[in-house]
Amino acid sequence: MTDFTLTNARIVLEAEVIHGSLRVENGKIADVSTGGTAVPSAIDAGGDMVIPGLIELHTDNLERHIEPRPKVDWPHQAAILAHDAELASVGITTVFDAMRVGSIHTRGDAGYGKYARNLSREVMHLRDLGALKISHFLHLRAEICSETLEAEMAEFGPEDRVGLVSLMDHTPGQRQFRDIEKLRDYVQKKRGMSNAEFDDHVNHLYELRDTYAVRHEAVAVAEAKRYGAVLASHDDTTAEHVEVSRQHGVRVAEFPTTIEAAQACKLHGIAAMMGAPNLIRGGSHSGNVAAHELAERGLLDIVSSDYVPSALMSSAMLLADLWDDIPRAIATVTANPAEAVGLSDRGRIAPGLHADLVRIARIEGMPVIRGVWSHGRQVG
């Protein structure tokens, strides 16, 4: 059913919350009004909030489904369907599936292989079959300090729905892992490395940066332009990092690690995105700036679920309480990400836009989802 009416709802608009009704026709929002409705089949929302469907720009969730344990390659179609259904269940109606491009083949168990091209084809095949509940775009995470980035990015084109390309440099000692001991703790637990193996791993990463970083960064910027994709930076730490981002034409800064970087983003009109787990946990697991510090300073524009899909809705409610401003908070997970990546057909509740909607109640402060619609079709 793509034609329906919701009534007795607290509808979250761009600048206000109204109590009223919302009509959907042919999968799009046809009318929004205050008060009740004469439509006898209208769905009584019971005073629940109705917000736009959430828009997720950076999530590792698909990768988690295809590799639920280290070196376990789960059947991809089943993994994609489970990922899609999970996002729909938590109110996400548009996702930019993050996939790494750029591999390291020369390090045996310490390396990693190519997967994005084939996995993206599988996602789009299921979309074309009508098997997916929500809208999927691609987010290519370009590892500039890898061996094969140029060849892997060359395999994608404008027809592939690549909406976002992020510039990734995970070289130890800077950006996300300025504290190498925190990186040591993370990697050794994840991969079971000894101290000597970790030290060798770090030295190899330095060699990769020296060999590839400058060329691969230029390649990634050029390829994003060829795809027609928005460019994002990752883990900017200094004003100098942000200046380089500005020169590249970056529009989204993923997870700036310092207040300095976030302030520079604001100065240059670059949307600052932080992770919902950081916001909910009260801090960064890497020891970087806490998302709530940026929110309190007016430096937080977009929230991403990162590695916990359900955290996206929870973070929006947390920000609503912090700012005492529901429309502003909801915009960080709807209108702001939509604007950042050029999606003008969703992210707000207004006539003519896609009927991507979420009905939620708050019970003891927690958001409880009671309905999810994607293009007017109920998916959760």
Side-chain angles (χ1 to χ4, degrees), residues 304-331:
S304 157
S305 71
D306 200 2
Y307 55 92
V308 184
S310 63
L312 198 57
M313 184 71 78
S314 296
S315 68
M317 294 299 102
L318 189 155
L319 288 173
D321 294 339
L322 176 67
W323 289 332
D324 192 26
D325 189 334
I326 291 174
R328 179 186 176 191
I330 294 302

Side-chain angles (χ1 to χ4, degrees), residues 111-125:
Y112 44 84
K114 168 187 168 181
Y115 72 94
R117 177 66 276 187
N118 287 340
L119 181 61
S120 65
R121 286 194 181 106
E122 291 172 302
V123 172
M124 295 308 150
H125 177 62

Side-chain angles (χ1 to χ4, degrees), residues 274-295:
M274 294 296 283
N278 180 324
L279 191 61
I280 291 168
R281 294 176 65 249
S284 161
H285 72 85
S286 303
N288 298 315
V289 69
H292 72 83
E293 293 184 60
L294 300 190

Side-chain angles (χ1 to χ4, degrees), residues 243-265:
E243 174 59 22
V244 172
S245 297
R246 184 195 67 80
Q247 292 174 13
H248 287 325
V250 161
R251 288 170 54 183
V252 179
E254 297 184 333
F255 318 135
T257 66
T258 63
I259 292 171
E260 174 190 345
Q263 288 173 329
C265 287

Side-chain angles (χ1 to χ4, degrees), residues 120-358:
S120 65
R121 286 194 181 106
E122 291 172 302
V123 172
M124 295 308 150
H125 177 62
L126 287 173
R127 184 205 69 198
D128 292 343
L129 291 177
L132 301 179
K133 294 175 180 288
I134 68 172
S135 297
H136 288 255
F137 296 84
L138 298 184
H139 171 180
L140 297 185
R141 296 187 292 109
E143 290 286 353
I144 65 172
C145 298
S146 65
E147 296 166 345
T148 64
L149 179 65
E150 188 169 3
E152 290 191 39
M153 294 195 79
E155 294 181 327
F156 290 85
E159 71 281 2
D160 287 310
R161 286 169 66 97
V162 180
L164 194 62
V165 171
S166 54
L167 304 173
M168 300 275 177
D169 180 355
H170 289 114
T171 306
Q174 49 94 56
R175 294 185 181 262
Q176 181 180 6
F177 287 109
R178 287 175 290 164
D179 186 339
I180 293 182
E181 291 309 306
K182 287 188 178 293
L183 177 64
R184 181 188 299 274
D185 183 59
Y186 174 76
V187 171
Q188 287 186 303
K189 284 182 178 178
K190 184 175 182 179
R191 299 188 183 179
M193 288 182 176
S194 66
N195 282 330
E197 288 171 332
F198 174 78
D199 291 340
D200 181 58
H201 170 67
V202 167
N203 287 332
H204 184 63
L205 293 179
Y206 290 148
E207 292 172 5
L208 288 174
R209 177 171 173 79
D210 291 343
T211 304
Y212 295 106
V214 173
R215 173 171 175 75
H216 279 178
E217 185 166 309
V219 165
V221 171
E223 290 291 62
K225 184 176 181 179
R226 181 171 68 86
Y227 306 152
V230 169
L231 195 64
S233 61
H234 192 75
D235 297 332
D236 286 338
T237 300
T238 66
E240 289 75 18
H241 285 159
V242 178
E243 174 59 22
V244 172
S245 297
R246 184 195 67 80
Q247 292 174 13
H248 287 325
V250 161
R251 288 170 54 183
V252 179
E254 297 184 333
F255 318 135
T257 66
T258 63
I259 292 171
E260 174 190 345
Q263 288 173 329
C265 287
K266 180 68 72 174
L267 178 66
H268 294 304
I270 299 172
M273 179 168 73
M274 294 296 283
N278 180 324
L279 191 61
I280 291 168
R281 294 176 65 249
S284 161
H285 72 85
S286 303
N288 298 315
V289 69
H292 72 83
E293 293 184 60
L294 300 190
E296 289 163 357
R297 293 169 180 260
L299 299 173
L300 175 60
D301 301 302
I302 298 170
V303 179
S304 157
S305 71
D306 200 2
Y307 55 92
V308 184
S310 63
L312 198 57
M313 184 71 78
S314 296
S315 68
M317 294 299 102
L318 189 155
L319 288 173
D321 294 339
L322 176 67
W323 289 332
D324 192 26
D325 189 334
I326 291 174
R328 179 186 176 191
I330 294 302
T332 66
V333 294
T334 58
N336 294 356
E339 181 180 4
V341 294
L343 292 178
S344 59
D345 58 1
R346 69 197 73 194
R348 296 173 292 116
I349 293 179
L353 301 190
H354 287 309
D356 292 351
L357 304 166
V358 186

